[in-house]
Amino acid sequence: MGKVYVFDHPLIQHKLTIIRDKETGTKEFRELVDEVATLMAFEITRDMPLQDVQVQTPVCEANAKTLAGKKLGVVPILRAGIGMVDGILNLIPAAKVGHVGLYRDPETLTPVEYYVKLPSDVEERDFIVVDPMLATGGSAVEAIHSLKKRGATSIKFMCLVAAPEGVEVMKEIHPDVDIYIAALDEKLNEKGYIVPGLGDAGDRLFGTK
Ligand code: PRP
Ligand code: URA
């Protein structure tokens, strides 16, 4: 069963409060999403495997460590996921970036796929799928289906705010995918928005409303 990690780091919680505030403008919203993504990436990469190496310091030869294991791929769910990519690349600049384009049909709330482009060596990478919001779970479930269909076998999902409904759906449909969340909120409202949430993440990131 996929594990669910809710980050309680004070910096993440503080920044998320400003992100939630409806008075926070696009520029600050975007900067803070970027910063929180970096902080979350720091936590999410805690289990990366290391290998022993020798390094020649100015003083002597030393036993040291470097990253080992599979290469990373970051996959934002368009559009809002784009806001989290640079924050992750700050820490892992060698990661490749794929894209899955989905939007929620406003009537049915079901995801509609319009774009997929992934690194060519999908089977060989560990993926982090990112989206600020996990609401009904439809978009995340569909994006992860899309990756698996193309050969991905190792996937984590990272979001800022999740509704319990979305977490349950993910655990049921993708039990192999661990979920990393900055805040687990109360519920969804009748329009499928997370309560209390932060509103429409895409619109707030890109200033489209
Ligand atoms: C938002 C958000 C997620 C999705 C979450 O995207 O960024 O992708 O809704 O909702 P769900 O869990 O119920 O699927 P939206 O469809 O508004 O598209 P956008 O990113 O282009 O604004
Ligand atoms: N998508 C958003 O951007 N916000 C929500 O609260 C739910 C889905």
Side-chain angles (χ1 to χ4, degrees):
M1 179 60 73
K3 295 197 190 73
V4 180
Y5 301 91
V6 182
F7 294 130
D8 57 2
H9 194 290
L11 284 175
I12 294 178
Q13 295 310 312
H14 176 82
K15 289 174 194 292
L16 186 61
T17 300
I18 307 171
I19 288 171
R20 286 185 191 275
D21 188 338
K22 71 180 172 81
E23 301 302 331
T24 299
T26 299
K27 176 174 180 289
E28 197 181 3
F29 187 93
R30 200 181 289 142
E31 288 166 358
L32 286 163
V33 168
D34 184 70
E35 288 171 24
V36 171
T38 303
L39 292 168
M40 291 183 79
F42 185 73
E43 294 286 341
I44 216 174
T45 49
R46 211 171 259 290
D47 62 353
M48 276 180 147
L50 291 169
Q51 63 189 7
D52 294 323
V53 290
Q54 296 282 303
V55 64
Q56 187 70 46
T57 79
V59 179
C60 67
E61 191 164 25
N63 297 324
K65 308 270 184 200
T66 56
L67 290 172
K70 293 210 278 186
K71 293 174 282 184
L72 255 179
V74 180
V75 180
I77 301 178
L78 305 181
R79 262 174 325 163
I82 290 174
M84 299 173 75
V85 172
D86 284 349
I88 300 174
L89 294 181
N90 283 340
L91 288 188
I92 317 160
K96 292 266 164 64
V97 181
H99 294 86
V100 176
L102 294 170
Y103 68 88
R104 282 203 316 181
D105 182 291
E107 300 300 325
T108 63
L109 300 183
T110 51
V112 182
E113 187 177 283
Y114 60 87
Y115 185 77
V116 181
K117 182 78 181 173
L118 301 176
S120 53
D121 52 355
V122 173
E123 298 88 356
E124 291 157 34
R125 288 187 182 267
D126 291 326
F127 284 97
I128 306 176
V129 175
V130 297
D131 191 321
M133 312 305 280
L134 178 65
T136 64
S139 303
V141 161
E142 202 48 44
I144 290 165
H145 269 319
S146 212
L147 260 73
K148 287 184 175 175
K149 225 164 44 188
R150 290 167 175 83
T153 54
S154 167
I155 303 171
K156 293 175 174 176
F157 179 75
M158 171 172 145
C159 66
L160 298 189
V161 181
E165 293 89 334
V167 172
E168 285 314 306
V169 168
M170 276 283 287
K171 279 165 64 177
E172 197 187 317
I173 301 184
H174 294 299
D176 53 315
V177 175
D178 290 345
I179 305 172
Y180 299 80
I181 305 169
L184 182 57
D185 276 10
E186 205 184 310
K187 60 178 182 183
L188 291 178
N189 69 14
E190 64 291 347
K191 289 185 177 150
Y193 275 82
I194 300 176
V195 180
L198 51 77
D200 188 306
D203 283 340
R204 294 198 64 194
L205 266 168
F206 298 110
T208 42
K209 214 165 203 173

Short mmCIF file of all heavy atoms in Angstrom, two decimals, residues 19 26 29 39 49 82 86 103 109 116 122 128 133 142-144 174 178 188 202 208:
data_model
loop_
_atom_site.label_atom_id
_atom_site.label_comp_id
_atom_site.label_asym_id
_atom_site.label_seq_id
_atom_site.Cartn_x
_atom_site.Cartn_y
_atom_site.Cartn_z
N ILE A 19 0.72 31.24 0.80
CA ILE A 19 0.19 30.77 -0.49
C ILE A 19 -1.34 30.70 -0.45
O ILE A 19 -2.03 31.07 -1.39
CB ILE A 19 0.80 29.38 -0.83
CG1 ILE A 19 2.27 29.52 -1.21
CG2 ILE A 19 0.02 28.70 -1.95
CD1 ILE A 19 3.00 28.19 -1.36
N THR A 26 0.11 37.14 -7.71
CA THR A 26 0.71 36.12 -8.58
C THR A 26 2.22 35.97 -8.38
O THR A 26 2.73 34.85 -8.29
CB THR A 26 0.43 36.48 -10.06
OG1 THR A 26 -0.98 36.49 -10.23
CG2 THR A 26 1.03 35.47 -11.01
N PHE A 29 2.96 34.38 -5.02
CA PHE A 29 2.40 33.02 -5.05
C PHE A 29 3.38 32.09 -5.78
O PHE A 29 3.75 31.03 -5.29
CB PHE A 29 1.05 33.06 -5.75
CG PHE A 29 0.28 31.77 -5.72
CD1 PHE A 29 -0.64 31.51 -4.71
CD2 PHE A 29 0.47 30.79 -6.70
CE1 PHE A 29 -1.37 30.32 -4.68
CE2 PHE A 29 -0.23 29.60 -6.67
CZ PHE A 29 -1.15 29.36 -5.67
N LEU A 39 11.80 22.77 -0.79
CA LEU A 39 11.84 22.19 0.56
C LEU A 39 11.27 20.76 0.55
O LEU A 39 11.79 19.86 1.21
CB LEU A 39 11.04 23.06 1.53
CG LEU A 39 11.65 24.44 1.83
CD1 LEU A 39 10.65 25.32 2.56
CD2 LEU A 39 12.92 24.30 2.64
N PRO A 49 19.64 6.37 -2.87
CA PRO A 49 20.79 5.54 -2.52
C PRO A 49 22.12 6.25 -2.78
O PRO A 49 22.23 7.08 -3.68
CB PRO A 49 20.64 4.33 -3.44
CG PRO A 49 19.75 4.78 -4.53
CD PRO A 49 18.90 5.89 -4.02
N ILE A 82 3.65 22.94 -13.43
CA ILE A 82 4.84 23.66 -13.91
C ILE A 82 5.44 24.53 -12.81
O ILE A 82 6.65 24.70 -12.71
CB ILE A 82 4.47 24.54 -15.13
CG1 ILE A 82 4.17 23.65 -16.33
CG2 ILE A 82 5.58 25.51 -15.48
CD1 ILE A 82 3.65 24.44 -17.51
N ASP A 86 10.84 24.12 -11.26
CA ASP A 86 12.14 24.78 -11.02
C ASP A 86 12.61 24.59 -9.58
O ASP A 86 13.80 24.44 -9.33
CB ASP A 86 12.05 26.28 -11.34
CG ASP A 86 12.07 26.52 -12.84
OD1 ASP A 86 12.37 25.56 -13.59
OD2 ASP A 86 11.77 27.66 -13.26
N TYR A 103 -6.69 18.66 -18.19
CA TYR A 103 -7.52 19.63 -17.50
C TYR A 103 -8.78 18.93 -16.99
O TYR A 103 -9.18 17.89 -17.53
CB TYR A 103 -7.87 20.83 -18.39
CG TYR A 103 -8.79 20.51 -19.55
CD1 TYR A 103 -10.17 20.55 -19.40
CD2 TYR A 103 -8.27 20.14 -20.78
CE1 TYR A 103 -11.01 20.23 -20.45
CE2 TYR A 103 -9.09 19.82 -21.83
CZ TYR A 103 -10.46 19.87 -21.66
OH TYR A 103 -11.28 19.53 -22.70
N LEU A 109 -15.87 17.08 -13.89
CA LEU A 109 -14.66 17.02 -13.07
C LEU A 109 -13.71 15.89 -13.49
O LEU A 109 -12.73 15.61 -12.81
CB LEU A 109 -14.97 16.90 -11.57
CG LEU A 109 -15.79 18.03 -10.92
CD1 LEU A 109 -15.93 17.79 -9.43
CD2 LEU A 109 -15.16 19.39 -11.17
N VAL A 116 1.25 14.63 -23.87
CA VAL A 116 2.18 13.79 -23.09
C VAL A 116 3.53 13.79 -23.79
O VAL A 116 3.62 13.49 -24.98
CB VAL A 116 1.69 12.32 -22.97
CG1 VAL A 116 2.68 11.51 -22.13
CG2 VAL A 116 0.32 12.24 -22.35
N VAL A 122 12.15 5.99 -20.19
CA VAL A 122 11.16 5.97 -19.10
C VAL A 122 11.40 4.83 -18.11
O VAL A 122 11.32 5.02 -16.89
CB VAL A 122 9.74 5.82 -19.71
CG1 VAL A 122 8.71 5.63 -18.63
CG2 VAL A 122 9.39 7.02 -20.53
N ILE A 128 9.04 11.67 -10.22
CA ILE A 128 8.24 12.43 -9.26
C ILE A 128 7.21 13.19 -10.09
O ILE A 128 7.56 14.06 -10.88
CB ILE A 128 9.08 13.44 -8.45
CG1 ILE A 128 10.28 12.76 -7.78
CG2 ILE A 128 8.21 14.13 -7.40
CD1 ILE A 128 11.21 13.73 -7.04
N MET A 133 -2.27 20.54 -6.53
CA MET A 133 -3.55 20.15 -5.95
C MET A 133 -3.89 18.68 -6.22
O MET A 133 -3.80 18.21 -7.36
CB MET A 133 -4.69 21.00 -6.53
CG MET A 133 -4.43 22.49 -6.56
SD MET A 133 -4.00 23.18 -4.95
CE MET A 133 -5.59 23.33 -4.19
N GLU A 142 -4.89 9.77 -13.55
CA GLU A 142 -4.77 9.68 -15.01
C GLU A 142 -3.32 9.92 -15.45
O GLU A 142 -2.81 9.21 -16.32
CB GLU A 142 -5.71 10.72 -15.63
CG GLU A 142 -6.12 10.47 -17.04
CD GLU A 142 -6.59 9.04 -17.29
OE1 GLU A 142 -7.35 8.50 -16.47
OE2 GLU A 142 -6.15 8.47 -18.32
N ALA A 143 -2.67 10.91 -14.84
CA ALA A 143 -1.27 11.21 -15.20
C ALA A 143 -0.38 10.00 -14.90
O ALA A 143 0.50 9.64 -15.70
CB ALA A 143 -0.79 12.44 -14.43
N ILE A 144 -0.63 9.37 -13.78
CA ILE A 144 0.21 8.21 -13.40
C ILE A 144 -0.10 7.01 -14.31
O ILE A 144 0.82 6.29 -14.72
CB ILE A 144 0.03 7.92 -11.89
CG1 ILE A 144 0.70 9.06 -11.10
CG2 ILE A 144 0.63 6.57 -11.51
CD1 ILE A 144 0.35 9.13 -9.64
N HIS A 174 -3.55 3.46 -7.29
CA HIS A 174 -2.09 3.33 -7.47
C HIS A 174 -1.42 3.05 -6.12
O HIS A 174 -0.71 3.90 -5.57
CB HIS A 174 -1.52 4.62 -8.07
CG HIS A 174 -1.98 4.90 -9.47
ND1 HIS A 174 -1.73 4.05 -10.53
CD2 HIS A 174 -2.69 5.93 -9.99
CE1 HIS A 174 -2.24 4.54 -11.64
NE2 HIS A 174 -2.84 5.68 -11.34
N ASP A 178 3.88 6.31 -3.54
CA ASP A 178 3.87 7.07 -2.29
C ASP A 178 3.47 8.52 -2.58
O ASP A 178 3.81 9.07 -3.64
CB ASP A 178 5.25 7.04 -1.63
CG ASP A 178 5.60 5.67 -1.06
OD1 ASP A 178 4.68 4.83 -0.93
OD2 ASP A 178 6.78 5.44 -0.76
N LEU A 188 -13.66 18.27 0.03
CA LEU A 188 -13.96 18.94 -1.25
C LEU A 188 -15.31 19.63 -1.12
O LEU A 188 -16.20 19.13 -0.43
CB LEU A 188 -14.08 17.91 -2.37
CG LEU A 188 -12.83 17.17 -2.81
CD1 LEU A 188 -13.20 16.16 -3.89
CD2 LEU A 188 -11.79 18.14 -3.34
N GLY A 202 -3.79 26.89 -10.86
CA GLY A 202 -3.32 27.34 -12.18
C GLY A 202 -3.58 28.82 -12.38
O GLY A 202 -2.71 29.57 -12.80
N THR A 208 -4.41 34.11 -14.45
CA THR A 208 -5.43 34.05 -15.51
C THR A 208 -6.85 34.31 -15.02
O THR A 208 -7.79 34.06 -15.74
CB THR A 208 -5.37 32.68 -16.23
OG1 THR A 208 -5.20 31.64 -15.25
CG2 THR A 208 -4.24 32.63 -17.22
#
